[in-house]
Amino acid sequence: MIREYADRLPVTAQTRVISLGEGGTPLVRAEKLAELTGCEVWIKVEGMNPTGSFKDRGMTMAMTAAVAAGAQAVVCASTGNTSASAAAYATAAGLSCAVLVPEGKISMGKLSQALAHGARLLQVDGNFDNCLELARKLAEAYPVFLVNSVNPARIEGQKTAAFEVVDVLGDAPDIHALPVGNAGNITAYWKGYREYAEPSGNAPAVSARRPRMWGFQAAGAAPIVAGHPVTEPDTIATAIRIGNPASWEQAEAARDESGGVIEAVADDQILEAHRWLSAREGVFVEPASAAGAAGIFKKFRAGELQPGQRIVITVTGHGLKDPDWGLQNLDGTPMQPEKVDFDVVSAARALGLEG
């Protein structure tokens, strides 16, 4: 990924790039969403990155920068996906990794990844914002390299997803929808779209237009929507359970410059979209990843989605990151497999295959 877009990234031919093969994720046509909305809808499936989330795009650049700076150790705060990505890329770079996570507020899928890759994991008695504050102080006072999205190298890596969208579609979409937590991703996509719409050196602009950025926060963790930090963010979408986004101002700039929106979606809307994506589109995501799709449903039902538009929705993390939600019905009751006797007639009857 870095080498592919090296002319648009802060690297040289001599840079030691730390990579696990990230980028090049699928852009899947969402046929059922298109039928519902009357729009052309595509899903950018970032769960196909090496550690299962979009964080790998930024982490390859952050870890490359850490190595270039001579770092021996890295640190990050995380709601889960950053910890898994940082641990994996630190291992590839030969660096030690410390991860700060909010106690009791991280899925086991993500926790197990970080531990499996050898990270030193500290559970902090507080929320993500407390973890990030502590990580920043550690990086300021001790010889560790901070790899959260406050590090501009992360944004540089994550902007490549916008390049890929344009490369596949031939131009930017009308609307790009995505979840907003710490707000680094909406910042990065907008940066990528802006850069691709401008000449680079002797090369002309790649895209003729820029999309409207539609960001969606979980209603219980929607500080940008509320206009003030949320001290106790609360949502089932753990990856975006953040009350004071590090890239707040940049996200507002992306919204305003693009003529877009940042709005809130309720947990039940997120879970509805989560189920739709897996059951109708064949794309399994963790709950937070469905916030962008939930936002599209919300805007459609409000009559605020003009038919005929081209829409790209980024889903940020694989469903196996937080698989328990896939085992629940929409009313919260657990799904149970149907039991049958060991004979073909019983199996056929259960499947409705009787003649």
Side-chain angles (χ1 to χ4, degrees):
M1 181 195 84
I2 290 181
R3 290 303 181 202
E4 182 178 357
Y5 296 111
D7 60 330
R8 294 178 179 271
L9 295 170
V11 295
T12 69
Q14 290 71 46
T15 301
R16 180 192 168 198
V17 173
I18 308 303
S19 174
L20 291 172
E22 61 292 321
T25 56
L27 190 63
V28 176
R29 189 183 286 270
E31 301 287 0
K32 300 301 182 182
L33 264 174
E35 290 175 14
L36 176 71
T37 62
C39 295
E40 178 187 330
V41 186
W42 298 83
I43 302 172
K44 183 63 169 164
V45 187
E46 287 291 87
M48 296 303 289
N49 278 299
T51 74
S53 86
F54 78 99
K55 302 289 186 177
D56 295 345
R57 287 186 184 274
M59 202 57 68
T60 181
M61 278 300 304
M63 214 60 67
T64 295
V67 169
Q72 297 298 310
V74 297
V75 64
C76 71
S78 179
T79 56
N81 284 325
T82 298
S83 68
S85 186
Y89 280 79
T91 296
L95 306 179
S96 59
C97 178
V99 173
L100 309 179
V101 299
E103 185 175 7
K105 296 179 180 178
I106 175 173
S107 76
M108 290 305 296
K110 301 169 188 178
L111 188 66
S112 64
Q113 279 184 287
L115 291 173
H117 290 303
R120 181 70 182 274
L121 194 141
L122 302 179
Q123 291 189 315
V124 177
D125 184 13
N127 57 31
F128 169 82
D129 304 299
N130 303 134
C131 292
L132 181 55
E133 180 181 355
L134 186 54
R136 283 173 138 165
K137 289 179 178 177
L138 282 170
E140 290 168 2
Y142 297 91
V144 292
F145 192 90
L146 183 65
V147 294
N148 278 101
S149 59
V150 293
N151 184 325
R154 281 277 305 277
I155 303 301
E156 288 295 305
Q158 286 168 215
K159 75 182 182 184
T160 60
F163 298 164
E164 291 179 5
V165 169
V166 174
D167 288 345
V168 171
L169 298 181
D171 206 344
D174 297 299
I175 296 166
H176 193 119
L178 72 171
V180 174
N182 212 29
N185 218 21
I186 190 171
T187 300
Y189 269 97
W190 181 236
K191 190 175 194 296
Y193 282 126
R194 281 191 294 111
E195 291 184 6
Y196 244 29
E198 300 166 354
S200 176
N202 295 323
V206 179
S207 55
R209 60 182 180 180
R210 305 169 186 176
R212 299 191 301 280
M213 301 301 299
W214 283 13
F216 296 95
Q217 298 189 295
I224 297 176
V225 178
H228 58 78
V230 176
T231 55
E232 295 294 335
D234 183 26
T235 171
I236 54 91
T238 57
I240 56 174
R241 188 190 284 158
I242 294 169
N244 190 14
S247 298
W248 186 321
E249 291 183 6
Q250 297 93 320
E252 288 185 324
R255 175 197 64 193
D256 298 343
E257 292 170 12
S258 72
V261 300
I262 296 179
E263 297 183 1
V265 285
D267 279 2
D268 60 349
Q269 293 174 309
I270 290 173
L271 290 177
E272 177 194 17
H274 172 266
R275 182 56 50 82
W276 176 288
L277 289 171
S278 56
R280 303 287 186 90
E281 309 292 356
V283 178
F284 187 34
V285 302
E286 63 173 309
S289 297
I296 293 298
F297 279 117
K298 177 183 175 181
K299 300 293 268 185
F300 169 72
R301 288 166 177 162
E304 298 173 5
L305 190 63
Q306 183 180 348
Q309 297 182 97
R310 175 179 278 178
I311 301 169
V312 171
I313 305 170
T314 292
V315 291
T316 47
H318 199 284
L320 293 177
K321 291 281 191 171
D322 199 356
D324 290 350
W325 295 102
L327 301 174
Q328 295 185 23
N329 295 302
L330 287 177
D331 62 3
T333 58
M335 289 185 177
Q336 296 291 343
E338 183 177 351
K339 295 183 179 180
V340 297
D341 293 331
F342 179 47
D343 69 83
V344 69
V345 173
S346 296
R349 184 181 300 119
L351 294 172
L353 298 176
E354 291 180 285

